[in-house]
Amino acid sequence: MSDENRFLYDIAHAVDPLGDLEEEAEKAAKHNRAKVGSARPTSLLYTYGPGAIMDLPQFTIMPTGLDDWDRIWARRDSTPPQIHAPRLRDVVRMTLRSPDVQLRPYPWQPKKHTRSAEGNDLGVPARVFPQWLRCTGCDLLGLLSQFDYRNTHPYRTDLAVFEHAKCTGRVGSGARKAARRTAIPARYLLACPDGHLDEFPYDLWVHRGRPCAKAELPTLKMVDRLAGKGASAVIHCASCDLRRPMNEAQGEVGRGKLPQCRGRHPHLDAFEPKGCTNQTRLMLVGASNLWFPATWSIIVMPDSPQEKADDLADRVRTVLGDNLAMFRDQPAVIRALLATGKVDVTKLSEQELEDVLQAAAAPTDTPEQQEQKLRDWDPVDLLVPEWQHLLREFHGHRTEEPKSGLTLAKRERGPELRPEITRVLAVERLRKVNALVGFTRIDDMDRVGDLPRRLAPLTRTSRPGWTVATEDRGEGIFLQLDENKVAAWEKHVEDSVVWTHHREAHRRNFERRFSETADKVDHLTRLKPPRYWLVHTFAHILIRELALTCGYAAASLSERLYAWPAADGREPSAGLLICTTASDSDGTLGGLVQLSDPTRLQQVVNSALRKAARCSSDPICAMRTPQDPEDFLHGAACHCCVMASETSCERANRFLDRRFLLNLPGSALGFFEPHE
């Protein structure tokens, strides 16, 4: 283990797909190609990031940790590009406890035409995982080394395949000539709540923890006649004829038969130095809880003067490095070095440059200060600058900020628009930046926020220099609710029986999910206030209605909620932004912004509220309230009326209740007045 790594790692086994490709080319033989597929940036961030398992047509792969990506970037002479989002970058640095983290896009370059070679040396490195494969012809269960890999077609990555070269078919099917048969991944894994993942030990499983009595390297087979029916396979040792079904590993009883976690991070090709004390759980390759991304995102707003100064000081510190202290008293040398690093300080006076250098030379926080800052930080702080800017008055009908790309246009209120809505903006252009800071397994990040060890790392180093990010461009509609009415309504809801039930359900939910830390944290600090439930539910019914006429599917629309009460140094908020973005284009088509027209918007809002008054599951849905021992975090809400897709909702369909929008039968908690 090297000094810079915090895991047990053998650098001799480093993932280097292009290096392997070059070695194959030197043999002057028909070589296997390095590229095995492609994916959009959003899917690589939210579904198939480092540590996740991606399904390819013939096998599965796992994108590696960011350390291995550096080999890809190093093949270019130029400095890797960076994404400019200082506000997000600072939060990522705090979360990763590393003062030098930069935001980089995925390693990719567009091609001039289909057969051109631009960008062939860029891509996301990955390893085959799991590395146990099963022959589809004879059920042979073995490691990669027992199968042949073939990927020779330059334009058909879908043909890349592992094959059993001398498959003779299943026993009892008669004598057959040896032929090549496709091998597919064996679909069982072992997962750990702390983010570890490991191969399933099939040889130890079938022999119940002992070596095979007949062979040192036994021949295993996976007999599976009910594919897709859970743990339905049977592991058979052809050497000693022992059999053991995989369904013995399922459930609470089966968990006791599984081995203890080894602390393995396959995306880092590394192990925890001190191992892991957790009990493993059986996991399927395609399970939805195998990988949950931990991300932060912002809508990029124009930088304030202080943010501009801080960003310049940071770029100066990054470019100069040790030269900052060495040439601190030589402004001419400093200017020359910064010019080489493409940091423009030509317009700064000597005093202004001195102020920048002083800020750049300021000492970074100690580890203790970093931990304290992280404990005190509230994710709402990411949203406050956005809310403040969206409320800012501007001259004229339209304003455009070139650097951030944010373009806002005022919209008049239609005569029939609900009076509770006080401000409408058409967000004609916006830029959203998303950064990955880690991932969890088994439970989503919001369930393990008090347990930092469960956030699996993206690198082997304890102080990463960068993390991957994406830039999304698109459009949206911003609505602000009347703060005075929201405050009065919120006080009324907090005194209601329904809110008491929601609060108790949240307490039960919190204590069960945060079992290791629930006694140290007040669950009310995690319960969203009534105004959040109101804004959240309103956003969902708007997404459903907008999707009918804007030209985008509901899953392509997402919400950004601004709903928090007044706090120290923070004004209250009650508003929402419904937007659609794309990460691999210059923007969107404008169909959503068109619906901000006063006449159209009032029709959308009125129609959405009218439909929310009834649900096909009523009266069950309308009167749903969690009762002990229930711990669900929604009330009058279901997939028939309010709930949205994962890509649209920022809270996984929690904190929703139609009763907070409208007066439903048996309830008088609606925020919006009855409207004919």
Side-chain angles (χ1 to χ4, degrees):
M1 181 173 65
S2 64
D3 294 337
E4 63 175 4
N5 295 330
R6 47 179 168 157
F7 300 105
L8 295 174
Y9 168 68
D10 184 1
I11 197 171
H13 295 151
V15 175
D16 186 13
L18 294 177
D20 296 341
L21 180 65
E22 291 170 353
E23 291 181 5
E24 288 287 324
E26 290 176 359
K27 298 177 182 178
K30 193 173 183 180
H31 57 272
N32 284 313
R33 301 180 183 274
K35 184 178 179 181
V36 293
S38 61
R40 298 180 63 178
T42 47
S43 65
L44 288 172
L45 187 75
Y46 294 111
T47 310
Y48 300 124
I53 294 180
M54 174 186 285
D55 276 310
L56 298 179
Q58 308 292 343
F59 55 94
T60 55
I61 60 171
M62 175 181 287
T64 64
L66 302 184
D67 308 278
D68 296 320
W69 296 33
D70 286 327
R71 294 186 180 85
I72 299 296
W73 287 117
R75 303 180 74 86
R76 292 295 181 94
D77 295 331
S78 58
T79 303
Q82 296 182 12
I83 295 177
H84 180 78
R87 187 158 52 92
L88 178 62
R89 181 197 61 205
D90 292 343
V91 171
V92 170
R93 287 176 174 178
M94 178 181 62
T95 305
L96 296 179
R97 300 168 176 83
S98 178
D100 300 320
V101 174
Q102 301 294 333
L103 306 180
R104 293 184 189 173
Y106 282 89
W108 175 82
Q109 179 183 350
K111 295 180 179 293
K112 294 180 180 178
H113 53 83
T114 306
R115 297 179 181 273
S116 62
E118 295 96 346
N120 282 355
D121 59 340
L122 293 177
V124 176
R127 60 166 42 88
V128 178
F129 192 87
Q131 299 198 345
W132 281 90
L133 304 179
R134 179 178 71 88
C135 175
T136 56
C138 64
D139 294 329
L140 175 69
L141 179 64
L143 293 170
L144 286 181
S145 57
Q146 297 174 248
F147 301 91
D148 292 343
Y149 175 59
R150 182 163 53 87
N151 180 22
T152 58
H153 198 295
Y155 309 112
R156 294 290 304 277
T157 56
D158 58 300
L159 298 180
V161 65
F162 283 92
E163 295 177 325
H164 184 196
K166 298 180 179 180
C167 174
T168 55
R170 295 182 176 89
V171 176
S173 59
R176 298 176 59 182
K177 184 179 179 181
R180 304 183 73 89
R181 295 286 187 273
T182 300
I184 61 175
R187 66 178 186 269
Y188 302 104
L189 300 168
L190 294 178
C192 158
D194 286 353
H196 303 129
L197 190 69
D198 211 343
E199 304 268 9
F200 191 89
Y202 298 101
D203 49 350
L204 294 176
W205 174 256
V206 68
H207 297 108
R208 301 183 182 273
R210 302 181 180 88
C212 178
K214 300 292 185 179
E216 183 178 355
L217 297 174
T219 300
L220 302 181
K221 294 198 174 185
M222 177 182 283
V223 182
D224 193 355
R225 300 293 181 262
L226 298 172
K229 300 293 185 181
S232 58
V234 175
I235 309 303
H236 173 219
C237 177
S239 299
C240 64
D241 205 33
L242 283 179
R243 298 174 183 267
R244 193 176 187 184
M246 288 298 302
N247 59 18
E248 286 189 21
Q250 286 184 310
E252 293 295 328
V253 175
R255 192 176 301 174
K257 302 176 182 179
L258 297 176
Q260 182 176 306
C261 179
R262 299 192 300 168
R264 184 186 182 191
H265 287 299
H267 67 296
L268 303 177
D269 195 24
F271 289 83
E272 294 282 354
K274 298 181 180 179
C276 179
T277 59
N278 290 322
Q279 188 66 30
T280 54
R281 306 184 188 187
L282 185 69
M283 184 77 68
L284 296 180
V285 167
S288 60
N289 62 341
L290 180 65
W291 190 84
F292 294 100
T295 61
W296 295 119
S297 65
I298 64 166
I299 303 294
V300 179
M301 300 290 165
D303 295 337
S304 66
Q306 184 59 49
E307 288 174 336
K308 291 180 180 178
D310 292 343
D311 181 52
L312 179 58
D314 181 78
R315 287 190 291 138
V316 168
R317 179 179 62 85
T318 302
V319 169
L320 293 180
D322 295 338
N323 290 329
L324 176 59
M326 187 179 303
F327 301 107
R328 184 71 170 77
D329 300 327
Q330 302 180 46
V333 177
I334 291 290
R335 289 180 183 273
L337 291 173
L338 291 176
T340 304
K342 297 182 180 180
V343 178
D344 185 13
V345 294
T346 55
K347 297 180 180 180
L348 299 183
S349 66
E350 294 300 322
Q351 182 57 48
E352 290 172 336
L353 178 60
E354 174 59 29
D355 293 341
V356 171
L357 295 178
Q358 185 175 351
T364 58
D365 293 337
T366 64
E368 293 76 15
Q369 291 172 326
Q370 290 177 354
E371 293 299 324
Q372 185 61 44
K373 185 182 293 185
L374 191 57
R375 284 194 295 268
D376 296 340
W377 182 71
D378 187 345
V380 169
D381 294 342
L382 268 179
L383 300 173
V384 172
E386 300 174 17
W387 172 255
Q388 293 174 341
H389 189 82
L390 292 170
L391 294 189
R392 189 175 303 168
E393 292 296 334
F394 52 87
H395 298 292
H397 172 73
R398 186 171 177 272
T399 179
E400 181 176 359
E401 208 280 326
K403 188 173 182 179
S404 66
L406 185 68
T407 303
L408 305 177
K410 294 179 181 178
R411 289 289 187 266
E412 299 296 330
R413 297 182 68 263
E416 297 183 12
L417 185 65
R418 297 299 180 106
E420 294 86 355
I421 300 174
T422 59
R423 182 178 176 84
V424 179
L425 290 178
V427 186
E428 296 180 356
R429 292 178 58 200
L430 62 84
R431 184 166 67 98
K432 184 182 179 185
V433 179
N434 319 278
L436 183 68
V437 296
F439 64 88
T440 60
R441 302 196 193 277
I442 299 177
D443 282 327
D444 199 354
M445 183 57 192
D446 74 314
R447 302 187 179 196
V448 297
D450 296 292
L451 298 173
R453 73 172 187 272
R454 290 194 180 178
L455 184 64
L458 301 176
T459 65
R460 291 182 289 271
T461 57
S462 58
R463 295 165 67 92
W466 65 280
T467 190
V468 67
T470 62
E471 285 185 288
D472 302 342
R473 300 182 186 274
E475 57 181 298
I477 301 175
F478 171 75
L479 303 178
Q480 180 190 4
L481 302 183
D482 188 315
E483 174 56 36
N484 294 329
K485 292 183 178 180
V486 169
W489 169 87
E490 190 169 38
K491 188 176 186 305
H492 174 55
V493 169
E494 288 175 340
D495 297 332
S496 68
V497 175
V498 171
W499 185 248
T500 300
H501 287 308
H502 281 317
R503 191 168 57 240
E504 287 303 304
H506 183 271
R507 178 187 58 78
R508 293 190 291 269
N509 184 288
F510 185 83
E511 290 176 353
R512 293 167 186 172
R513 298 194 308 173
F514 288 79
S515 57
E516 298 183 47
T517 54
D519 58 337
K520 302 176 184 178
V521 179
D522 183 1
H523 79 95
L524 292 177
T525 61
R526 303 301 174 87
L527 175 62
K528 293 298 181 182
R531 66 173 61 211
Y532 187 95
W533 293 62
L534 166 66
V535 173
H536 193 195
T537 310
F538 189 37
H540 275 226
I541 66 170
L542 285 179
I543 287 175
R544 283 172 165 254
E545 189 65 25
L546 289 167
L548 298 177
T549 52
C550 72
Y552 301 107
S556 298
L557 302 178
S558 61
E559 63 188 6
R560 196 154 182 90
L561 308 180
Y562 307 95
W564 55 81
D568 293 340
R570 190 167 67 201
E571 296 293 327
S573 70
L576 56 97
L577 172 66
I578 305 297
C579 61
T580 181
T581 58
S583 62
D584 51 3
S585 66
D586 291 332
T588 45
L589 301 176
L592 182 59
V593 165
Q594 288 183 358
L595 295 182
S596 64
D597 175 79
T599 303
R600 292 184 176 184
L601 182 62
Q602 65 187 16
Q603 292 174 349
V604 167
V605 172
N606 292 335
S607 178
L609 289 172
R610 184 176 64 254
K611 293 176 180 177
R614 289 175 173 81
C615 172
S616 59
S617 296
D618 283 344
I620 296 175
C621 177
M623 303 183 69
R624 182 186 292 112
T625 304
Q627 304 287 341
D628 191 15
E630 296 170 331
D631 63 357
F632 51 83
L633 301 181
H634 63 271
C638 69
H639 286 286
C640 297
C641 57
V642 173
M643 292 184 177
S645 64
E646 292 181 2
T647 56
S648 299
C649 181
E650 65 179 35
R651 288 289 170 182
N653 285 318
R654 296 189 292 272
F655 309 127
L656 297 167
D657 198 326
R658 284 186 293 136
R659 283 170 295 198
F660 294 161
L661 288 178
L662 304 160
N663 290 331
L664 299 183
S667 171
L669 300 176
F671 172 73
F672 290 95
E673 295 293 333
H675 181 73
E676 295 296 333

